[in-house]
C-alpha cells in the first residue's frame, strides 16, 4: 500500500529560518503493482480523500502509523514555540484543526503531550501619557499587550525539530506565528 500526497508549502522554523519540511495533503491510498516487462507500475486507488493530480507524490505507507491510544499528559517545562503551518491551508485555527509547530522530539516532545496555545499580544500605541519622575510625557509610546491563552493542543506526531498536534479546545481563533508552550 502506498500513500499519495499533494506537495504543499515549505515549513520553516521562525527562530532559525531552517527548512523543517513540507506540508502535504493526503489525496489517496493506492495499491501498486509492477507492470510486466516495464520499469513502470500500475496503481489502483483504494481510498480517495480528494482529487489526485498530476505531480502528486507516491510514498510507501508509513510503518509508524499514528498510535491507536494516546494518553494526554503535560508537556515538559520550557517548551516555547510557534504554530508554523495549518493542515488544509486554512488561515484561522479553531477546535479540531491540525497544526504544525516548530518544536519536536529534540525539545522533549512525545506523542500525548499537551501544550497551551497563546495568541500573540499586539503592539499598540498608548494614547495616554505616562508619568516619568513627576513629569507628564509628551510622546506616545508603544505598549506590548500580553499573550492571551486561546486553546489547548494535543501532540500526535513528532519529528526531530517539529510536531503535529490537534487543537482540542479553543476560546478564540489562532493563526500561524501564535505561540505554543508548556501549560
Amino acid at each position: 500500500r502506498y500513500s499519495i500526497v499533494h506537495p504543499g508549502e515549505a515549513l520553516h522554523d521562525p527562530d532559525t529560518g531552517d527548512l523543517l519540511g513540507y506540508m502535504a495533503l493526503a489525496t489517496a491510498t493506492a495499491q501498486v503493482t509492477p507492470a510486466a516487462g516495464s520499469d513502470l507500475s500500475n496503481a489502483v486507488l483504494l481510498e480517495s480523500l480528494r482529487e489526485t493530480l498530476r505531480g502528486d507524490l507516491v510514498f510507501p505507507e508509513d510503518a509508524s502509523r499514528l498510535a491507536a491510544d494516546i494518553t494526554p499528559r503535560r508537556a515538559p517545562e520550557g517548551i516555547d514555540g510557534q504554530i508554523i503551518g495549518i493542515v488544509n491551508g486554512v488561515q484561522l485555527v479553531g477546535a479540531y484543526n491540525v497544526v504544525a509547530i516548530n518544536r519536536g522530539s529534540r525539545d522533549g516532545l512525545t506523542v500525548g503531550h499537551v501544550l497551551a496555545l497563546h495568541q500573540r499580544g499586539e503592539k499598540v500605541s498608548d494614547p495616554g501619557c505616562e508619568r516619568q519622575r513627576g513629569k507628564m510625557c509628551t510622546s506616545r509610546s508603544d505598549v506590548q499587550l500580553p499573550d492571551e491563552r486561546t486553546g489547548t493542543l494535543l501532540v500526535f506526531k513528532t519529528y526531530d525539530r517539529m510536531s503535529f498536534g490537534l487543537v482540542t479546545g479553543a476560546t478564540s481563533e489562532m493563526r500561524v506565528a501564535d505561540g505554543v508552550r508548556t501549560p
Side-chain angles (χ1 to χ4, degrees):
R1 288 177 60 106
Y2 288 78
S3 295
I4 302 176
V5 298
H6 183 74
E9 67 180 288
L11 297 173
H12 293 274
D13 187 328
D15 296 334
T16 64
D18 292 347
L19 176 66
L20 299 179
Y22 292 89
M23 188 71 74
L25 298 174
T27 65
T29 302
Q31 183 172 351
V32 176
T33 55
S38 173
D39 290 339
L40 302 176
S41 296
N42 295 318
V44 175
L45 299 186
L46 304 174
E47 300 168 17
S48 183
L49 304 169
R50 60 177 38 101
E51 183 178 29
T52 299
L53 304 170
R54 180 183 304 244
D56 286 351
L57 305 172
V58 179
F59 293 100
E61 278 202 339
D62 189 356
S64 64
R65 301 289 290 180
L66 297 177
D69 294 323
I70 296 176
T71 303
R73 62 196 181 286
R74 188 171 197 260
E77 287 297 326
I79 301 293
D80 188 7
Q82 293 182 31
I83 297 173
I84 58 172
I86 307 168
V87 173
N88 289 330
V90 296
Q91 297 296 316
L92 299 176
V93 179
Y96 309 115
N97 282 123
V98 174
V99 299
I101 63 171
N102 68 329
R103 297 294 180 257
S105 58
R106 79 172 186 181
D107 302 296
L109 288 180
T110 60
V111 171
H113 276 143
V114 175
L115 295 164
L117 293 163
H118 291 266
Q119 192 174 62
R120 298 283 183 201
E122 294 181 55
K123 189 173 266 190
V124 297
S125 180
D126 183 3
C129 284
E130 301 172 7
R131 289 200 174 266
Q132 296 175 346
R133 296 187 189 134
K135 299 179 184 177
M136 294 293 288
C137 67
T138 56
S139 64
R140 294 180 183 214
S141 61
D142 287 339
V143 175
Q144 178 71 45
L145 297 178
D147 292 353
E148 181 179 335
R149 177 140 182 201
T150 52
T152 305
L153 183 76
L154 176 66
V155 174
F156 66 83
K157 183 76 172 174
T158 61
Y159 298 95
D160 186 42
R161 297 169 52 193
M162 65 172 287
S163 299
F164 285 96
L166 175 70
V167 177
T168 58
T171 57
S172 181
E173 72 276 351
M174 292 151 277
R175 296 172 173 75
V176 168
D178 280 350
V180 295
R181 61 180 72 119
T182 305

